[in-house]
Amino acid sequence: MKLAAIDIGSNAIRFQVSTVLTNNKTHPVFKKLEYVRFPLRLGHDVFTTNRISEKSMAKFKKLMKAYKLLLELYEVDDYMFCATSAMRESDNGTELANAVKEELGITINIIDGNREAELINRAISSYLADQTYLHIDVGGGSTELNLYAGGKKIKTRSFKIGSVRVLEQIDSPVMWEDMERWIKEYVKKEYGKVTAVGTGGNISKIFELAKLKPGSTMSVKKVKQIRDMVESYTIEERIYKLQMNPDRADVIIPASQIYLKVMEWAHAASILVPEVGLKDGIMLHLYEQSILQQKLDL
């Protein structure tokens, strides 16, 4: 079985095709066949003008056409396009989704923050033990927080704070205060030691630069050290010396500030960084749908 997940974010648009390898259809393994990350920063338009510009809309349609061709070439069995904060907040996001549906026959699901968090949680659940975790997913336009205690997710919330918003200096002080208040209210002392779980391209890059063993946790001190090291480089040096994509080089510091603030407020001394995200949650959702359909067909 081949599945494809398309994550239409605020800073970039990710496309992945995977073959599903199953062990008695209980523990699927997704073997990556193709991965494309295109740096179309929809958030720049939306968070400043509330609209996706004509130029970005034209690029977006070309990109969707290219992705459709890849879906056909790989002969995927099922796929899902999900758009997050930039498209859901834009005045013309639905209009763009409708135009893509009409011109290309592609359905774009504009999902809310809770649905986004739910899909990402599917991907990280296998990495969590019966402990207390605060999952932090920082995107370009929003941050999703999910609190786990006793092996169960007990609280979830989406905040309009993201790396692109902070970079553009259009993040709201009120939203920061709201996030701090939410964390201090729900991350209770009786839950014991809290471990942060970080998802998103920026925390993955920080973990890579820390040169830690896969599966190990990264201390707050180490996150700050890497943040300070990256901040000491110019944007050009980050691209050429640290091998960052241009659209990663400018948002990694704002993103690190969000992770560190959340960890500080939650009193989390370390962070686990599984290499998963929204696209992985979409893959699992599609796989589970296919298994359910097979059972219904029997």
Side-chain angles (χ1 to χ4, degrees):
M1 183 193 303
K2 291 178 189 173
L3 300 174
I6 299 87
D7 168 10
I8 302 168
S10 303
N11 192 46
I13 301 175
R14 300 166 182 83
F15 171 99
Q16 184 168 317
V17 176
S18 294
T19 296
V20 184
L21 307 175
T22 56
N23 175 20
N24 297 323
K25 297 187 176 179
T26 55
H27 300 290
V29 174
F30 298 94
K31 187 176 186 301
K32 190 190 300 181
L33 295 177
E34 182 68 81
Y35 177 71
V36 180
R37 179 184 183 277
F38 189 84
L40 181 55
R41 188 170 282 176
L42 298 177
H44 173 75
D45 296 338
V46 177
F47 305 144
T48 52
T49 67
N50 295 320
R51 293 181 64 81
I52 299 169
S53 68
E54 291 295 327
K55 182 180 178 181
S56 292
M57 286 176 73
K59 259 191 179 180
F60 183 85
K61 288 178 183 179
K62 285 182 181 178
L63 185 60
M64 293 303 103
K65 189 174 182 180
Y67 285 170
K68 185 184 180 184
L69 288 171
L70 283 172
L71 292 175
E72 292 171 0
L73 287 167
Y74 277 101
E75 299 178 331
V76 301
D77 297 288
D78 202 3
Y79 62 87
M80 187 175 181
F81 288 71
C82 284
T84 56
S85 59
M87 280 192 76
R88 71 178 171 241
E89 290 181 37
S90 63
D91 293 339
N92 58 347
T94 302
E95 175 191 327
L96 177 56
N98 290 339
V100 168
K101 173 71 173 176
E102 187 177 328
E103 294 172 27
L104 300 172
I106 290 171
T107 298
I108 295 174
N109 301 281
I110 302 176
I111 59 175
D112 63 22
N114 289 332
R115 178 61 171 154
E116 183 179 353
E118 179 191 325
L119 287 166
I120 297 167
N121 285 333
R122 286 173 182 264
I124 70 164
S125 59
S126 63
Y127 293 86
L128 308 183
D130 189 11
Q131 298 171 15
T132 302
Y133 298 96
L134 182 60
H135 172 218
I136 313 162
D137 182 72
V138 176
S142 65
T143 293
E144 275 65 49
L145 298 182
N146 301 279
L147 179 62
Y148 290 82
K152 295 180 181 178
K153 186 175 77 170
I154 57 172
K155 283 291 175 183
T156 184
R157 178 77 189 275
S158 179
F159 297 88
K160 290 183 180 179
I161 298 171
S163 59
V164 176
R165 286 187 201 269
V166 176
L167 177 71
E168 304 278 358
Q169 297 183 327
I170 47 176
D171 50 316
S172 163
V174 173
M175 192 57 73
W176 279 100
E177 290 164 11
D178 190 27
M179 185 160 70
E180 180 181 7
R181 186 165 50 246
W182 186 91
I183 293 167
K184 290 182 176 178
E185 179 178 354
Y186 292 111
V187 183
K188 300 174 182 177
K189 286 183 179 178
E190 54 261 39
Y191 293 149
K193 179 185 173 183
V194 179
T195 300
V197 180
T199 53
N202 290 295
I203 196 67
S204 292
K205 188 64 180 179
I206 289 169
F207 187 82
E208 178 192 319
L209 291 169
K211 297 179 180 177
L212 299 172
K213 292 180 181 178
S216 62
T217 56
M218 180 167 50
S219 67
V220 168
K221 183 180 178 181
K222 178 59 74 173
V223 176
K224 287 179 178 176
Q225 283 176 351
I226 300 300
R227 187 269 316 269
D228 293 344
M229 180 273 288
V230 172
E231 198 167 24
S232 71
Y233 287 88
T234 65
I235 297 295
E236 290 74 20
E237 287 172 334
R238 294 174 199 175
I239 294 167
Y240 294 107
K241 291 185 179 181
L242 301 181
Q243 298 293 295
M244 290 187 192
N245 291 325
D247 64 317
R248 172 83 60 229
D250 60 351
V251 296
I252 191 167
I253 297 302
S256 67
Q257 291 168 354
I258 300 171
Y259 287 107
L260 285 167
K261 272 296 180 187
V262 172
M263 291 175 73
E264 175 192 329
W265 291 329
H267 302 289
S270 61
I271 186 166
L272 178 69
V273 186
E275 288 291 324
V276 295
L278 178 59
K279 58 183 173 49
D280 304 280
I282 295 170
M283 290 282 185
L284 274 168
H285 170 70
L286 291 172
Y287 172 74
E288 289 164 5
Q289 271 194 330
S290 72
I291 295 301
L292 179 61
Q293 189 58 53
Q294 286 174 28
K295 289 179 179 177
L296 293 172
D297 291 343
L298 291 175

